[in-house]
Amino acid sequence: MSERKSPMALLDGLQLMQSIHAQSVSVGIGAVLGMAFDEVEDGRVAIVLSTRPELANPLGTLHGGVAATMLDSAMGCAVHTTLAAGVGYTSLDLAVKFLRPGPLDGTVVRAEGRVVHRGRQVVTGEGTLTDARGRLLATATTTCLVLPPGRG
């Protein structure tokens, strides 16, 4: 019995991210947290989120895990935009520097991920998280391993 491929598996990474952006849908953890694509282009993705009290840490500011998830998602999706159809990736590492507390008052925060280097097997990226006033809240870097077709 042959395995049927999802229509999404026929799209390259940029087409897939652009399709999700155009449909204004959130998937996976993005749907859970309320993240949405703001911009998608080859090697760069921006994600936004309206902050709210449920995203607090015990100190009453934006939880570091939410900030890290936004950065990881933006950088990972930026990496994905550079991949051919059927090719996947997985994160090898994620490093986040928290620079300023994030508010929880409905402020829109924006994570932007950019590909820094695209090799055959390894892709590196960097990201920034800013508030609505453009203040830097956190920075991040990632290294991703490219998975051959059928392994993603």
Side-chain angles (χ1 to χ4, degrees):
M1 187 150 110
S2 69
E3 184 179 319
R4 293 183 65 183
K5 287 192 174 189
S6 159
M8 292 297 202
L10 304 175
L11 302 176
D12 67 31
L14 180 58
Q15 292 168 330
L16 177 62
M17 295 297 118
Q18 288 173 330
S19 174
I20 294 169
H21 181 226
Q23 295 174 41
S24 297
V25 295
S26 294
V27 295
I29 193 67
V32 171
L33 293 177
M35 298 187 301
F37 283 131
D38 188 41
E39 295 181 59
V40 173
E41 60 187 52
D42 185 34
R44 191 177 74 80
V45 169
I47 295 174
V48 293
L49 169 97
S50 292
T51 63
R52 56 191 189 277
E54 302 85 51
L55 302 178
N57 62 26
L59 298 173
T61 61
L62 186 66
H63 193 284
V66 173
T69 298
M70 288 188 69
L71 287 160
D72 183 51
S73 297
M75 293 184 299
C77 288
V79 166
H80 200 135
T81 66
T82 69
L83 302 179
V87 176
Y89 72 95
T90 189
S91 298
L92 291 173
D93 68 13
L94 171 67
V96 181
K97 304 288 188 260
F98 302 101
L99 307 173
R100 154 182 290 122
L104 296 171
D105 59 1
T107 296
V108 174
V109 292
R110 183 174 193 269
E112 182 175 325
R114 295 166 299 283
V115 170
V116 175
H117 172 76
R118 169 74 166 92
R120 250 189 357 232
Q121 293 182 299
V122 174
V123 183
T124 59
E126 63 185 12
T128 55
L129 182 69
T130 55
D131 66 13
R133 293 177 23 198
R135 295 181 304 172
L136 192 58
L137 304 178
T139 63
T141 58
T142 191
T143 306
C144 297
L145 177 67
V146 177
L147 302 173
R151 301 274 320 262

